[in-house]
Amino acid sequence: MKKWWLMLPVLLLSLALLPGCADFTAGEESRPETSAPVELSFWNPFGGGEGEYVERIIRNYNAAQSGVFVKQLRLESNEYYARLSTALSFGKGPDVAVVHADRLSPFVKAKQIVPLNKLGEERGFQWSGIAEQNLQSVSYNGQYYAVPLDTHFHMLYYNKDILARAGVLTPGGTPMLKEDTPEAFIAMLRQIAARVPGVQPMAVNTPYFQESFLDLYYEAGGELFSPDMNQAAIYNEKSVQVLSFYQQLFEEGLSTLEDNTPWDSFYNGQAGLWFGGVWEAGHHLDNEALDIGIVPLPPIFGSAAHWGSSHTLVIPAYVSGEEQEAAMDFMSYFLETGGSIWGEAGHVPASLKIAGSEEYRGLPYRRLFIQARDQVKYAPQTDKYAALFTAMSEELQNIIRSRIPPEAGLKTLEQSLNQILAN
């Protein structure tokens, strides 16, 4: 069977040539009349609750000045990068776009996005006001290629009523985990199953299982690749232990593989625990029917390190000088002013000033978010990461859904990753 990522360039070209695919106006785009001298097209994949916060930021920016008008094109997340890659290849598309930090490398290598050091300096932009870990994620050969907006990652969400009924809620209102080990965590889930029948003790994110896997694999001190990025390094005892842990949850009925919307199961009171994104905080905490708590992921595999990423803003290389300056102004506003609104969505703002403010830290659980942010492990910088991540996602799904022994599945995964690295 041919691997799809080897055909990616052909697929992207074909996508562009399909009827309608060269029309980059599809999607949800705001087009009010404006007399602003510069109009910017802003592409992003933010839907659901996140989209509402982005709309507020754009609306406030457009109202705050008269020189630039931003209109947005919101694309579905599952098609976003294919459409963006095609647009950048053909030199026609957005003036500003969202790119996750772990997806920057191919655009940098292809010289499809603008290095921002000089432009930022000309516009008085202060890179020193951004968290160091965020800066490192957008830095290539001494140049910054994006403005980081946030850090996002997972926290442990829990239903206080379910945990209380199971007798595993402390007097302080947190999960009663006797020690930070996989065995103690499973014992807590077994007690929930025994005392609160009819609910999943823990909903596992099987649709995006690679993130759940990486949370605990990074806790165990695991690495995906060798330091020189020439070899995969995922076939080891640490990854076997993590996969065995998850498979035990499914085998004992402490979690179910059949739950294709585990975030809804937790929201609807049908699960006791959930490794959920910080971006879900407002959604779950606004649920008046449930009493929800949030804590950092417990370091049951030895450390507090865990998966995370960052949304960033970039300027395509085809954007002209005047639009470049306007784009930099908008990106600065999103970071330095809109970041307060973005923080309400749950993301930890990349702006040191906003993340350190009492206004932000006074929001529910945000001090714990800051604590967890500092333990995030970013993806390695490689232009092959999209293909590597897709291969990893597919094989990990296959391992858990087909109940493949971890050793065998990981050996196959490592071979797939090495094939991509070698090409």
Side-chain angles (χ1 to χ4, degrees):
M1 176 178 159
K2 291 184 178 180
K3 301 295 186 180
W4 76 267
W5 54 83
L6 299 179
M7 302 294 293
L8 185 58
V10 176
L11 290 172
L12 290 177
L13 180 59
S14 301
L15 178 66
L17 298 177
L18 287 172
C21 287
D23 176 10
F24 298 120
T25 60
E28 185 176 333
E29 186 165 12
S30 53
R31 289 183 174 275
E33 293 183 4
T34 174
S35 59
V38 180
E39 186 175 277
L40 297 178
S41 174
F42 172 39
W43 284 22
N44 67 77
F46 297 126
E50 287 179 314
E52 299 173 7
Y53 292 97
V54 173
E55 288 176 1
R56 285 171 56 192
I57 294 170
I58 294 172
R59 186 167 60 247
N60 290 353
Y61 175 73
N62 288 337
Q65 45 74 51
S66 58
V68 182
F69 182 81
V70 175
K71 59 183 181 182
Q72 73 161 322
L73 176 62
R74 185 187 303 160
L75 297 168
E76 293 296 324
S77 59
N78 60 354
E79 68 176 31
Y80 181 75
Y81 283 105
R83 294 288 299 277
L84 179 62
S85 296
T86 303
L88 297 188
S89 296
F90 280 78
K92 180 183 178 183
D95 302 302
V96 180
V98 169
V99 176
H100 287 80
D102 51 35
R103 303 296 287 264
L104 281 172
S105 291
F107 301 129
V108 173
K109 183 179 181 180
K111 299 182 179 180
Q112 292 176 330
I113 57 177
V114 176
L116 301 176
N117 293 49
K118 182 179 179 181
L119 182 60
E121 182 180 350
E122 292 171 350
R123 307 298 297 175
F125 184 77
Q126 299 296 318
W127 295 99
S128 60
I130 299 176
E132 181 60 30
Q133 193 176 24
N134 289 114
L135 283 179
Q136 291 177 4
S137 73
V138 301
S139 178
Y140 293 80
N141 300 317
Q143 289 283 326
Y144 299 125
Y145 280 83
V147 171
L149 297 180
D150 59 53
T151 307
H152 53 268
F153 44 88
H154 294 141
M155 301 284 284
L156 176 60
Y157 290 73
Y158 58 98
N159 184 311
K160 293 183 182 180
D161 178 62
I162 291 176
L163 267 61
R165 289 161 58 194
V168 291
L169 190 71
T170 69
T174 59
M176 188 181 294
L177 186 59
K178 294 182 178 179
E179 58 183 5
D180 290 326
T181 64
E183 295 76 17
F185 195 86
I186 288 175
M188 179 175 64
L189 297 182
R190 287 172 177 162
Q191 189 163 328
I192 296 173
R195 298 187 180 183
V196 192
V199 303
Q200 283 187 79
M202 178 175 171
V204 172
N205 194 354
T206 50
Y208 301 95
F209 179 69
Q210 70 279 357
E211 294 175 2
S212 298
F213 168 80
L214 288 176
D215 278 329
L216 300 187
Y217 181 57
Y218 286 159
E219 278 194 3
E223 297 288 346
L224 296 180
F225 311 106
S226 61
D228 60 8
M229 289 299 301
N230 288 331
Q231 294 288 323
I234 198 170
Y235 179 33
N236 55 59
E237 185 59 30
K238 296 171 183 176
S239 55
V240 169
Q241 290 173 351
V242 170
L243 281 176
S244 298
F245 168 81
Y246 279 115
Q247 287 188 336
Q248 184 175 354
L249 300 189
F250 300 133
E251 289 166 3
E252 292 193 24
L254 303 175
S255 300
T256 175
L257 281 169
E258 283 67 47
D259 188 354
N260 293 319
T261 55
W263 44 85
D264 287 337
S265 296
F266 182 79
Y267 182 82
N268 294 326
Q270 298 168 346
L273 301 172
W274 163 242
F275 286 2
V278 290
W279 58 91
E280 301 175 44
H283 177 64
H284 290 305
L285 295 176
D286 286 346
N287 185 350
E288 297 181 356
L290 302 178
D291 189 3
I292 301 301
I294 308 174
V295 293
L297 300 183
I300 58 176
F301 277 89
S303 80
H306 52 93
W307 169 89
S309 187
S310 170
H311 296 108
T312 77
L313 297 179
V314 303
I315 303 175
Y318 54 73
V319 176
S320 68
E322 186 179 31
E323 277 76 21
Q324 278 191 17
E325 293 177 359
M328 193 71 208
D329 186 72
F330 170 63
M331 296 193 302
S332 300
Y333 179 91
F334 200 124
L335 170 75
E336 297 168 356
T337 302
S340 294
I341 295 175
W342 199 228
E344 294 176 22
H347 305 285
V348 178
S351 165
L352 292 171
K353 181 178 179 181
I354 294 174
S357 68
E358 285 304 314
E359 177 186 6
Y360 173 74
R361 295 187 177 221
L363 295 172
Y365 299 103
R366 280 355 185 242
R367 293 182 187 276
L368 291 177
F369 287 12
I370 293 288
Q371 175 185 329
R373 175 205 61 184
D374 295 338
Q375 304 298 326
V376 162
K377 186 177 179 67
Y378 278 88
Q381 290 184 337
T382 168
D383 59 294
K384 299 177 180 179
Y385 188 72
L388 292 164
F389 193 73
T390 299
M392 182 168 61
S393 304
E394 292 176 348
E395 191 57 44
L396 288 171
Q397 282 278 345
N398 189 38
I399 291 171
I400 62 168
R401 293 195 178 278
S402 302
R403 293 176 168 81
I404 296 172
E407 293 87 347
L410 287 164
K411 186 175 182 179
T412 300
L413 171 57
E414 183 145 299
Q415 291 171 346
S416 297
L417 297 180
N418 282 331
Q419 182 181 2
I420 297 171
L421 289 170
N423 289 318

